[in-house]
Amino acid sequence: MISAIKNTLALVISIIVVHLFYVGYVWPESSAAIEAARAAGQSAPRDLAVIIKDWEQEICIIMMLWGTFLILDKCFAIMKDRYLFNVDLLEGAAEGADGEDDLASMLEALENLPARIRTTPLVRTLSASLRRFLITENVQNTSETIDANVESLAVKQEAENSMVRYLIWAIPAIGFIGTVRGIGQALSQADQALAGDIAGMTESLGVAFNSTFVALLISIVLMFLLHQLQRLQDSMVTDTQEYCESFLLNRISTLGRN
C-alpha cells in the first residue's frame, strides 16, 4: 500500500514538474522560434524547445521520469540491503547435539529482527528454510525450500517490473501517434504546398518526426536502466541462494540428519 502511494505520488509530481516546464519554457520558446522563422521565410529551427513542444513528447517525458523513478527506487532498495550478504545472520547456531535447539533459537531471533530487515528476501528465505528443517529434520527438504523461495523471488521481481515494461512499450506507441497525427496534418495542407506555401506542411512533418525521435530516444534510455535493474535483481537472487547454501545448509548438514 505504501509503495503504491509512493509510486502514485511520483507520477503526480512528474506530471506537475514537466507541465510547468512546458508552460514556463518550452511553449513560449518554441512559439517565438517558429514565429521568427516564419517571418524570415524559413522552416522551423531544430531547437530543443521546438523538437519537444507537442503533447506527445510531453507525455513521453512524463512517463520517462516516472519510469526512471520506478527503476531507481527498486535499485536503491536492493543496494540498501546488500550489506546483509556480508553478515552471518545465523551466527551462534552451534554444531553437535544441541544444534537443533540453537537453530530454533536462531529462527526466533530472525523473526524478532526489525520489520524492515525481517521482510527482506534473504531473511524470509532463511526463516522459511529453517522452519522447514525444524519440522522435517531433512536437509533435502530444506534445500528444496531454498530453491522454491529463490524461484518465487525471481518470479516476483519479474512481475514487479511489468509496469516499467509497459512504459517502455507505451512510449514508442505514443510517439507513433504523433507521427500519424503529423502526417495527417501534412496531407491536409497539400493544396497549400502545391500553391507554393510549404511552411505548414513542413511544420506538420516536423511534428511527425520529432515525436518519433523523442519517443525512441526515451525508450532506449529506459531499456538501458531496466537492464541494469535486472542485473541487480539476478545478482540478488543468485547471492541469496549461495548465502543460504553456505551459511544454512552447511550448518544443518553437520547435524547428521538426512
Side-chain angles (χ1 to χ4, degrees), residues 144-157 237 241:
E144 292 174 356
T145 301
I146 294 174
D147 292 339
N149 276 270
V150 168
E151 183 178 352
S152 176
L153 173 61
V155 172
K156 180 181 178 182
Q157 290 178 338
V237 170
Q241 184 166 17

Side-chain angles (χ1 to χ4, degrees), residues 31 92 145 162 170 174 234-235:
S31 297
T145 301
S162 60
I174 293 173
D234 292 342
S235 176

Side-chain angles (χ1 to χ4, degrees), residues 234-247:
D234 292 342
S235 176
M236 185 182 70
V237 170
T238 302
D239 291 343
T240 298
Q241 184 166 17
E242 291 178 352
Y243 183 100
C244 291
E245 291 175 353
S246 299
F247 289 89

Side-chain angles (χ1 to χ4, degrees), residues 22-246:
Y22 267 71
V23 171
Y25 172 75
V26 174
W27 289 335
E29 188 72 17
S30 61
S31 297
I34 292 174
E35 289 299 327
R38 285 177 178 174
Q42 300 174 350
S43 59
R46 297 292 295 170
D47 295 338
L48 176 64
V50 175
I51 293 174
I52 65 173
K53 67 179 178 63
D54 300 297
W55 63 266
E56 290 90 357
Q57 289 91 309
E58 181 182 4
I59 294 176
C60 288
I61 293 174
I62 291 172
M63 297 175 74
M64 178 191 71
L65 291 181
W66 190 41
T68 301
F69 169 81
L70 296 177
I71 293 173
L72 293 181
D73 184 55
K74 296 179 186 298
C75 289
F76 289 148
I78 293 174
M79 297 301 295
K80 180 177 61 178
D81 297 327
R82 288 295 301 176
Y83 75 94
L84 291 174
F85 293 102
N86 298 321
V87 178
D88 187 357
L89 297 171
L90 300 177
E91 186 177 4
E95 302 176 358
D98 297 329
E100 184 174 349
D101 293 336
D102 290 327
L103 289 175
S105 64
M106 184 53 58
L107 176 59
E108 183 179 357
L110 288 175
E111 293 176 344
N112 291 331
L113 288 172
R116 189 188 66 79
I117 298 177
R118 188 174 65 250
T119 56
T120 59
L122 175 59
V123 176
R124 287 204 307 266
T125 302
L126 281 175
S127 298
S129 303
L130 264 174
R131 190 177 297 108
R132 183 64 176 269
F133 178 76
L134 292 173
I135 294 173
T136 65
E137 298 185 354
N138 188 287
V139 177
Q140 180 62 35
N141 287 341
T142 305
S143 178
E144 292 174 356
T145 301
I146 294 174
D147 292 339
N149 276 270
V150 168
E151 183 178 352
S152 176
L153 173 61
V155 172
K156 180 181 178 182
Q157 290 178 338
E158 186 67 21
E160 290 176 347
N161 293 339
S162 60
M163 178 55 71
V164 178
R165 293 185 180 279
Y166 170 77
L167 293 177
I168 293 175
W169 169 86
I171 287 172
I174 293 173
F176 292 144
I177 291 174
T179 299
V180 173
R181 184 172 70 89
I183 292 176
Q185 290 179 351
L187 292 177
S188 67
Q189 297 170 341
D191 292 340
Q192 298 176 14
L194 291 175
D197 182 11
I198 64 171
M201 176 173 281
T202 56
E203 183 177 344
S204 297
L205 290 176
V207 171
F209 295 120
N210 289 339
S211 61
T212 302
F213 170 74
V214 172
L216 293 178
L217 186 62
I218 289 175
S219 65
I220 290 173
V221 173
L222 280 184
M223 183 61 74
F224 171 77
L225 294 177
L226 176 61
H227 280 298
Q228 298 306 307
L229 171 61
Q230 289 179 322
R231 183 179 62 84
L232 286 176
Q233 290 175 333
D234 292 342
S235 176
M236 185 182 70
V237 170
T238 302
D239 291 343
T240 298
Q241 184 166 17
E242 291 178 352
Y243 183 100
C244 291
E245 291 175 353
S246 299

